[in-house]
Amino acid sequence: MTTDRAARLRALHVKGSPLILPNVWDAASARAVEEAGFPVVATGSSAMAAVLGYEDGERTPAEEMFAAIARIVRAVGVPVTADVERGYGLKPAELAGRLAEAGAVGCNLEDSRDDVLVEPGEQADYLAAVKAAAGDDLVVNARVDTYIVGDGGIADAMDRGRRYVAAGADCVYPIGLADPEEIRILAADLPINVYFRPGAPSHAELAALGVCRVSYGHGLHRAAHVYAESLFAAVAAGRNPYE
């Protein structure tokens, strides 16, 4: 069953017909995404950390994060891919095991630590070890953080992306990449995931650029939370929050 779900997830990464992932933060939001017709549920680590009462950046205890991932997996019938930051300090085999125990068949792994880029060879070795431990049961989306904590150069992003794919990553995620021409150049060489945010190219435009995966990160949770705050403010002011 796990291998079948991983294969389904992997097969949905198609250049020109990207997998759209409106990232979730709990079992209820996961059910809503599945009910909306999406074939995969993806978690967002920042949003889940906030729901669990922690700051983003691997401050959530691994036990709590993987328990939350497991609840999401139990709540839906589609494959689940989990954002696990840089692995919460777990060794590759232990990380692969925790993901398997939770039922996730995919994961995001970052290549920065405390806002400092990890040396690309070190990250490639880590990714290779995770893949060796998990085999075909895990689809790895390797995040490339050069656009948010590095110099933002496409050359570094391309070099890291190529290394990570050679190490076994199924997709690379240059988070912060927004320029359509740079998206096109990277997508021509690599299977890439683009972060959808205000001002980003449309889904159709990203498809035409050759993107194979689109993530919403913490954006939807942030928007939902802002709306919830407005409801609470209405109640506090004695207004009807439903009007």
Side-chain angles (χ1 to χ4, degrees), residues 226-243:
V226 168
Y227 178 62
E229 287 177 331
S230 73
L231 297 179
F232 301 146
V235 173
R239 303 193 305 272
N240 186 339
Y242 305 118
E243 293 180 347

Side-chain angles (χ1 to χ4, degrees), residues 18-148:
L19 172 63
I20 308 300
L21 297 170
N23 299 74
V24 307
W25 49 92
D26 59 12
S29 58
R31 287 195 186 103
V33 163
E34 181 181 33
E35 289 166 1
F38 291 93
V40 172
V41 162
T43 73
S45 62
S46 178
M48 290 182 69
V51 169
L52 295 170
Y54 297 95
E55 297 295 324
D56 190 24
E58 293 203 319
R59 293 172 177 82
T60 306
E63 291 73 15
E64 292 193 45
M65 182 58 76
F66 284 100
I69 292 168
R71 287 193 292 273
I72 288 170
V73 171
R74 289 196 300 269
V76 298
V78 297
V80 173
T81 180
D83 182 353
V84 291
E85 305 197 53
R86 201 171 179 271
Y88 301 98
L90 301 174
K91 298 295 185 184
E94 186 178 6
L95 174 62
R98 290 285 190 93
L99 287 163
E101 289 171 8
V105 295
C107 73
N108 284 9
L109 285 168
E110 303 171 7
D111 68 350
S112 65
R113 181 191 298 117
D114 298 326
D115 294 329
V116 177
L117 285 168
V118 175
E119 195 277 322
E122 176 187 345
Q123 182 68 4
D125 288 344
Y126 185 79
L127 293 170
V130 171
K131 286 292 290 188
D136 290 337
D137 290 343
L138 187 67
V139 177
V140 173
N141 188 34
R143 211 175 85 174
V144 176
D145 288 357
T146 56
Y147 285 92
I148 58 172

Side-chain angles (χ1 to χ4, degrees), residues 151-197:
D151 62 9
I154 190 172
D156 192 10
M158 182 72 80
D159 175 64
R160 286 173 178 266
R162 286 171 173 167
R163 287 173 183 251
Y164 301 163
V165 169
D170 300 276
C171 188
V172 294
Y173 184 9
I175 190 168
L177 171 64
D179 180 75
E181 180 59 16
E182 292 195 359
I183 293 173
R184 184 191 65 75
I185 292 169
L186 286 170
D189 192 74
L190 298 165
I192 70 165
N193 181 157
V194 168
Y195 170 48
F196 194 90
R197 58 184 177 177

